Amino acid sequence: MTRHLPNDDDISAFRQALQEAGVRRIATNQADPGKPKRQPDNREARRRAAVEGSTLQGSGRTSDGRVEAVRPSEYLEFSVPDLPWRTFSQLKRGQTAWQAGLDLHGYTLEEARLELESFLGDAAAQGLRCVLVVHGKAWGSSADFPVLKSHTNAWLREWPGVLAFCSATDMDGGTGAVYILLRKRGQ
């Protein structure tokens, strides 16, 4: 089958028809999600608003109850039952590139929970597949276990958009950080 190539008259007629119909060239090849992009300088304002507008009994997705304590050097891992073995194996070997990161050092427990929820929500909205969260492995000032690490382990298991997570490779923080595999849109 030979393909018919349009001549100059056909092309001109087509362009004229498009112009008369009000069709405009697109300025960018990126979709407009209908909401403004977040500016990096809004992070502090969002954090303050989240902390001020919420209490420990907030309506977040993550629990604030007691969690199972984990050791500072303990390797964390979790996956939903139907996640392919190969996908989880690549995540554990650090072969799934992470696209954004969050460092929870210096946050109180409640601030860390709110920041993690905000970060995961933003990552899902942006369609990110894999992110890194650094929780550290320091002992809590009022507990005999790493508080942020233990809570992050519990919170991520409850988050509906998390397919899997595991402790990072040494290059990305080792047992003081986790790779998180997020659910694809529509999945």
Side-chain angles (χ1 to χ4, degrees), residues 29-179:
N29 67 351
Q30 294 182 350
D32 179 6
K35 60 182 185 180
K37 284 187 176 180
R38 277 211 170 118
Q39 299 301 322
D41 56 330
N42 289 345
R43 184 175 177 189
E44 281 301 317
R46 283 195 342 254
R47 182 178 298 137
R48 273 195 309 276
V51 170
E52 292 167 4
S54 179
T55 63
L56 279 173
Q57 290 77 33
S59 61
R61 294 179 186 253
T62 52
S63 72
D64 298 305
R66 297 190 58 78
V67 299
E68 181 182 337
V70 296
R71 294 183 314 277
S73 59
E74 186 172 339
Y75 185 88
L76 302 179
E77 69 177 22
F78 164 84
S79 75
V80 295
D82 57 345
L83 185 72
W85 174 85
R86 175 182 231 155
T87 303
F88 192 41
S89 180
Q90 288 172 333
L91 183 71
K92 292 193 320 187
R93 289 193 306 263
Q95 294 174 333
T96 306
W98 53 277
Q99 300 154 297
L102 171 67
D103 187 348
L104 297 175
H105 282 105
Y107 289 114
T108 66
L109 186 59
E110 178 62 11
E111 290 170 341
R113 181 180 69 84
L114 294 169
E115 194 67 25
L116 180 63
E117 286 183 354
S118 174
F119 176 71
L120 291 175
D122 288 349
Q126 294 173 34
L128 302 184
R129 182 72 168 143
C130 182
V131 295
L132 176 78
V133 171
V134 179
H135 48 65
K137 44 189 176 176
W139 299 85
S141 58
S142 62
D144 56 354
F145 62 93
V147 175
L148 285 179
K149 178 175 182 173
S150 299
H151 278 80
T152 299
N153 181 43
W155 294 335
L156 291 175
R157 292 170 190 269
E158 298 171 354
W159 190 262
V162 172
L163 291 176
F165 68 87
C166 63
S167 290
T169 60
D170 288 340
M171 184 174 73
D172 287 327
T175 56
V178 287
Y179 298 125

Side-chain angles (χ1 to χ4, degrees), residues 1-18:
M1 179 175 185
T2 58
R3 188 171 173 196
H4 169 71
L5 296 175
N7 61 31
D8 289 341
D9 291 336
D10 291 340
I11 293 172
S12 293
F14 179 71
R15 287 187 176 150
Q16 181 68 31
L18 288 175

